[in-house]
């Protein structure tokens, strides 16, 4: 970290540097603490690249400021898809109660990549919070009304939540398949 610090600070100081996102990731990985105000500016800079903004949000999460929840909420409301996905994952650890409806909304109405990431993030919630949603969506899948683009992601998420309601819903879905259906 000490050897990299001067170069990482120089790269991050240039808004147009093509390696700025990687510099932020390296700084985070090697314990180089760049200015938190810098990370915040990058997260909120609509002209910065998605990768930069996401890396800055994750770096800011390492030593979150007192108003970090507000930064995450702005990223959810105004960020591009990849930043919203990072913000949802962070919200799970910051406020699991508030994360549940945000994740549910993403599964139900966001583009498939965001819905898949939300299903994965749902596994970070307590089982008693995640299980009813998963069981409900598995019921929809059995009925043929759950988005086909997310079905494998739903099954992966269900596999990670050890709850009787989820296991029952998976069994019902399997029983609904035609005989010999791989």
């Amino acid at each position: 970290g000490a050897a990299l610090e001067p170069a990482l600070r120089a790269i991050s100081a240039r808004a147009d540097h093509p390696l700025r996102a990687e510099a932020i990731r390296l700084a985070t990985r090697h314990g180089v603490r760049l200015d938190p105000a810098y990370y915040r500016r990058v997260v909120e800079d609509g002209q910065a690249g998605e990768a930069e903004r996401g890396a800055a949000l994750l770096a800011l999460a390492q030593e979150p400021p007192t108003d970090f929840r507000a930064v995450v909420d702005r990223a959810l409301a105004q960020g591009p898809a990849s930043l919203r996905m990072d913000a949802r994952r962070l919200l799970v650890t910051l406020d699991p109660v508030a994360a549940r409806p945000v994740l549910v909304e993403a599964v139900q109405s966001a583009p498939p990549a965001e819905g898949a990431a939300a299903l994965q993030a749902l596994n970070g919630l307590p089982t008693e919070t995640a299980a009813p949603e998963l069981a409900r969506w598995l019921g929809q899948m059995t009925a043929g009304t759950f988005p086909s683009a997310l079905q494998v992601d739903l099954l992966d998420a269900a596999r990670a939540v050890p709850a009787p309601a989820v296991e029952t819903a998976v069994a019902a879905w399997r029983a609904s398949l035609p005989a010999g259906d791989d």
Side-chain angles (χ1 to χ4, degrees), residues 40-123:
R40 180 190 305 268
R41 280 192 311 275
V42 173
V43 170
E44 295 176 355
D45 179 1
Q47 301 304 310
E50 285 186 45
E52 283 177 74
R53 293 176 77 186
L57 182 64
L58 296 175
L60 197 57
Q62 299 299 309
E63 290 184 30
T66 55
D67 67 338
F68 185 58
R69 172 64 193 274
V71 174
V72 170
D73 288 343
R74 278 192 301 279
L76 280 168
Q78 302 167 356
S82 63
L83 187 64
R84 289 191 306 266
M85 288 187 275
D86 287 337
R88 286 185 194 105
R89 282 190 292 274
L90 290 170
L91 188 57
V92 167
T93 58
L94 286 172
D95 188 349
V97 172
R100 188 197 66 75
V102 170
L103 296 174
V104 167
E105 189 274 328
V107 170
Q108 293 175 339
S109 60
E114 288 186 69
L119 282 166
Q120 186 179 26
L122 198 70
N123 291 333

